[in-house]
Each structure stands twice: as structure tokens, then as C-alpha cells.
């Protein structure tokens, strides 16, 4: 019974060492070596080469090494076994730090003061909106969205959330589904996207959605923060809305193509903040420990935690 590590872009030997330490009795194999495909019961994957998990007759579970699982469903030869993903308090905390940081950067106009400092300009603008007068809308009220919404409320923002199914969260105005989207957008000054990438959400941050955001808010125009997935956004539409002035700024951690190509106009746009898909890096030992615990549970016949719904694909 072995664990197959299937990843691209990460140091597989570091992951092998972590899993060997946590599961000393379990052989840990990698795609880059010859291994017995019948012995593989578990896979831990991050962006495995499509098709590489086919032909594992005794595979029982695929573990995503991240919170998102869109890369798994992009593989049309993915074995039909249960998929479990990462839900980790450290990752959640890091994401909330990022969301609160960038909402505060917008509220307190920090980019403007950076420019003023560079230009040695003393302009102590007295128009400082209060957090309670700024309406933040969090798209996605899952593990990450709920925590971010709560921490934004602690900072005083007027927060609402939007999800696929109705969510009753104490103190949070919530909207759901396509029917709830227009009202949610119309009361949103800062739109925070923490949605998974699925067939339903792909490309949804487009011209139509951006045009629905509030234009009457205390910030003088709406802002977008996307830390979900780049496939959610249509970058040409974001740039067009920025040029038209219907979007005042965008903070993007994720992109249609990653790494963001050097020629992308997003890099140098004065109203865009770019971060390299690291708003919430998973702490490797925490992830390996979570997966090792799940494997032990599975071997003991206990139910797995954090299972992905194969129909919803998140
Ligand atoms: P969850 O699965 O816990 O939550 C997803 C939320 O999105 C749920 O509230 C769900 O609604 C909602 N949702 C899904 N589809 C739709 C839809 N069609 N319309 C409306 N709402 C929808 O995910 P997490 O919070 O753990 O993570 C969210 C995403 O964040 C990940 O999938 C990943 O892509 C991204 N991420 C990015 C990172 C980064 O570094 N940039 C790091 C980690 C994650 P409902 O509640 O009704 O199910
Ligand atoms: C994740 C990510 O999905 O880092 O965990 O994007």
C-alpha cells in the first residue's frame, strides 16, 4: 500500500521526506521513478500532469495538496475516487490577513500616500471615510470567505456575503445564487472574490458583473480584490472598466495565465496591485500532517474530512 506524490512546480523530494517522517511504514513513490501502480492506494497531487493518475487499479483517495481542486477536474482522465482537499487554520488565517490588509490599503488610500512619499508631497487629505461607511462584498462564504468576512467586520467594515446556497451567518447580510447577485453587487464598494473555479464561476468577473457594482459609495468608485482563481476573471474587462473609471482599482493575486506574462498591462497599471498567487501559501508541514492524519483515518475505516463534492466540483 503506497502513497504516490504527483506534482509539478514543487520540490517532490521535500514532500517525500515530510511524508516518510509522518508515515514511516508507507512506501512513498513519485511519478519520476518506476513504481508498482497496483500498490498505489493514495495520491497527493498538486497540478499533476493530466492523465498521469490513470491506470492505478487500487487507488482509494486523491488528496489535493491545496485548498483548490480545479486543477484536478481539468484532468479528463481523473480516476473516479473520493477527493479530499486542504482545510487548514493557518492557510485560512493567512488569506484573511491578505483580504483585511488590502481592504485597509484601499480604505486608507495607502497607494496614494506611497506615491506622495516618492514625490516628497505633503497632502494631508482630510476626507478619510470610516470603515463602517464602506460596503465590502465577499463572494464565496466557504472556509476562507467566512473567516475573511468575520475579520473585516471586526475592523468595522459593512460586510455582506454571496454564496451558491443561502447561508445564515450571525451578523452578516447574505445573498445567494444568481437571483441574489444583482442586489449583492449593487451594495458593494469593495468586491472580494474567494470563489472556487468551476464551470459555473469561470469568467464570471466580467464587464457585466463589474458594471453591477455600486457607483455611489464613499470610495468614489468600486474596487475588486480577487484571491480565488484567475479563471474567474476576464482581465480585458477589468482593464476596460479601470480605463472607463467604473472600477477604481483592482488587487489581484491570481491570473488567467500564471505566472503573469511580462507583457501583461496589469503589471504597470497604476490602479492595479499584483501579488504572485501567494495570498495564502499552504504551510507544507501542516498540509503533510493533515494528509497523513487523513490516511490513518481511512486505514482505520473512519470517514475522511474535507471531501469535495464531485457534482459541484469544489
Ligand atoms: P469552500 O469550498 O469552503 O467555499 C467555496 C464557497 O464558494 C462556498 O461558499 C460556495 O457556496 C461558494 N460558491 C461556489 N460556487 C458558487 C457559485 N456558482 N455561486 C455562488 N457561490 C459559489 O472553499 P474555500 O473557502 O476553502 O476556498 C475558496 C477558493 O479559494 C479555493 O477553491 C481556491 O480556488 C482559492 N484559494 C486561493 C488561494 C491563494 O493563494 N490565492 C489559497 C487557497 C485557496 P456554498 O456555500 O453554497 O457551497
Ligand atoms: C490553494 C492555492 O488552492 O494555494 O491552496 O491556491
Amino acid at each position: 500500500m503506497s502513497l504516490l506524490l504527483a506534482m509539478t512546480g514543487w520540490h517532490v523530494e521535500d514532500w517525500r521526506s515530510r511524508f516518510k517522517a509522518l508515515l514511516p511504514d508507507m512506501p512513498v513513490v513519485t511519478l519520476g521513478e518506476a513504481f508498482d501502480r497496483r500498490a498505489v492506494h493514495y495520491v497527493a497531487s498538486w497540478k499533476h500532469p493530466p492523465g498521469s493518475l490513470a491506470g492505478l487499479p487500487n487507488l482509494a483517495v486523491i488528496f489535493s495538496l491545496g485548498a483548490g481542486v480545479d486543477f484536478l477536474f481539468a484532468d479528463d482522465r481523473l480516476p473516479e475516487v473520493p477527493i479530499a482537499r486542504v482545510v487548514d487554520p493557518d492557510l485560512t488565517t493567512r488569506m484573511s490577513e491578505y483580504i483585511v490588509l488590502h481592504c485597509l490599503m484601499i480604505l486608507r488610500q495607502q497607494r496614494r500616500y506611497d506615491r506622495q512619499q516618492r514625490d516628497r508631497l505633503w497632502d494631508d487629505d482630510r476626507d478619510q471615510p470610516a470603515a463602517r461607511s464602506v460596503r465590502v462584498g465577499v463572494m464565496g462564504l466557504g472556509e476562507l470567505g467566512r473567516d475573511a468576512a468575520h475579520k473585516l467586520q471586526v475592523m468595522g467594515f459593512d460586510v455582506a456575503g454571496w454564496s451558491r446556497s443561502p447561508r445564515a451567518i450571525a451578523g452578516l447580510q447574505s445573498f445567494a445564487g444568481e437571483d441574489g447577485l444583482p442586489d449583492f453587487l449593487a451594495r458593494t464598494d469593495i468586491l472580494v472574490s474567494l470563489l472556487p473555479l468551476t464551470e459555473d464561476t469561470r469568467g464570471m468577473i466580467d464587464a457585466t458583473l463589474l458594471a453591477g457594482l455600486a457607483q455611489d459609495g464613499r470610495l468614489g468608485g468600486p474596487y475588486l480584490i480577487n484571491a480565488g482563481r484567475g479563471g474567474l476573471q476576464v482581465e480585458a474587462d477589468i482593464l476596460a472598466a479601470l480605463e472607463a473609471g467604473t472600477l477604481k482599482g483592482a488587487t489581484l493575486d491570481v491570473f488567467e495565465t500564471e505566472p503573469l506574462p511580462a507583457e501583461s498591462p496589469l503589471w504597470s497599471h497604476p490602479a492595479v496591485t499584483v501579488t504572485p498567487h501567494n495570498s495564502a501559501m499552504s504551510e507544507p508541514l501542516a498540509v503533510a500532517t493533515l494528509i497523513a492524519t487523513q490516511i490513518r483515518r481511512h486505514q482505520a475505516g473512519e470517514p475522511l474530512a474535507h471531501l469535495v463534492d464531485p457534482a459541484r466540483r469544489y
Side-chain angles (χ1 to χ4, degrees):
M1 204 179 273
S2 64
L3 167 64
L4 169 64
L5 303 182
M7 57 187 72
T8 51
W10 288 3
H11 294 289
V12 71
E13 290 307 329
D14 292 349
W15 283 94
R16 193 194 319 245
S17 307
R18 283 178 203 113
F19 280 114
K20 288 297 298 170
L22 291 160
L23 298 166
D25 298 332
M26 177 162 292
V28 180
V29 297
T30 72
L31 284 178
E33 66 200 15
F35 62 91
D36 178 0
R37 297 188 79 87
R38 284 165 307 169
V40 174
H41 277 61
Y42 304 106
V43 163
S45 167
W46 182 251
K47 299 183 181 172
H48 66 268
S52 59
L53 306 186
L56 299 170
N58 294 310
L59 184 64
V61 188
I62 297 173
F63 296 99
S64 167
L65 287 159
V69 290
D70 46 292
F71 70 92
L72 290 173
F73 291 110
D75 178 355
D76 59 14
R77 294 175 67 203
L78 192 75
E80 287 185 19
V81 297
I83 296 172
R85 70 189 189 98
V86 170
V87 174
D88 172 53
D90 176 69
L91 184 146
T92 303
T93 299
R94 288 166 193 244
M95 181 59 86
S96 293
E97 287 167 1
Y98 182 90
I99 301 300
V100 172
L101 167 73
H102 287 283
C103 285
L104 288 173
M105 294 267 285
I106 293 166
L107 174 73
R108 300 304 301 262
Q109 307 176 70
Q110 185 56 42
R111 288 296 188 211
R112 169 189 163 172
Y113 296 119
D114 289 345
R115 285 193 295 275
Q116 286 189 194
Q117 180 176 352
R118 191 196 56 212
D119 298 341
R120 296 170 181 261
L121 175 66
W122 186 277
D123 177 0
D124 63 340
D125 181 17
R126 300 301 162 110
D127 182 27
Q128 296 273 7
R132 66 177 177 282
S133 68
V134 173
R135 299 162 297 180
V136 182
V138 180
M139 288 204 295
L141 289 174
E143 298 292 337
L144 302 182
R146 285 197 305 275
D147 192 68
H150 168 66
K151 287 171 181 165
L152 289 165
Q153 285 180 313
V154 171
M155 294 311 301
F157 288 100
D158 177 1
V159 187
W162 181 73
S163 50
R164 193 183 50 82
S165 51
R167 296 261 157 189
I169 300 173
L172 190 79
Q173 192 185 1
S174 60
F175 299 81
E178 277 180 36
D179 292 349
L181 189 57
D183 288 345
F184 166 75
L185 296 174
R187 55 79 63 211
T188 294
D189 301 315
I190 303 177
L191 180 65
V192 172
S193 159
L194 286 172
L195 287 169
L197 179 62
T198 66
E199 284 316 303
D200 291 337
T201 61
R202 184 178 295 282
M204 71 172 290
I205 305 176
D206 62 2
T208 306
L209 180 142
L210 296 172
L213 291 168
Q215 292 293 337
D216 60 352
R218 280 293 280 117
L219 300 174
Y223 287 78
L224 166 68
I225 299 175
N226 185 14
R229 279 290 182 267
L232 298 166
Q233 71 202 15
V234 180
E235 287 164 16
D237 290 4
I238 293 173
L239 285 161
L242 289 168
E243 292 314 311
T246 50
L247 185 66
K248 213 165 165 217
T251 298
L252 306 174
D253 184 52
V254 288
F255 301 90
E256 286 173 9
T257 302
E258 295 181 5
L260 183 61
E263 63 277 14
S264 170
L266 293 168
W267 282 113
S268 53
H269 196 291
V272 176
T273 297
V274 168
T275 55
H277 195 147
N278 66 353
S279 53
M281 299 291 277
S282 308
E283 211 278 298
L285 187 56
V287 170
T289 305
L290 170 71
I291 293 173
T293 305
Q294 294 263 61
I295 288 175
R296 278 194 226 98
R297 286 171 66 95
H298 187 261
Q299 288 181 318
E302 293 169 22
L304 291 167
H306 317 311
L307 283 170
V308 171
D309 181 329
R312 294 195 315 231
R313 298 192 158 197
Y314 70 89

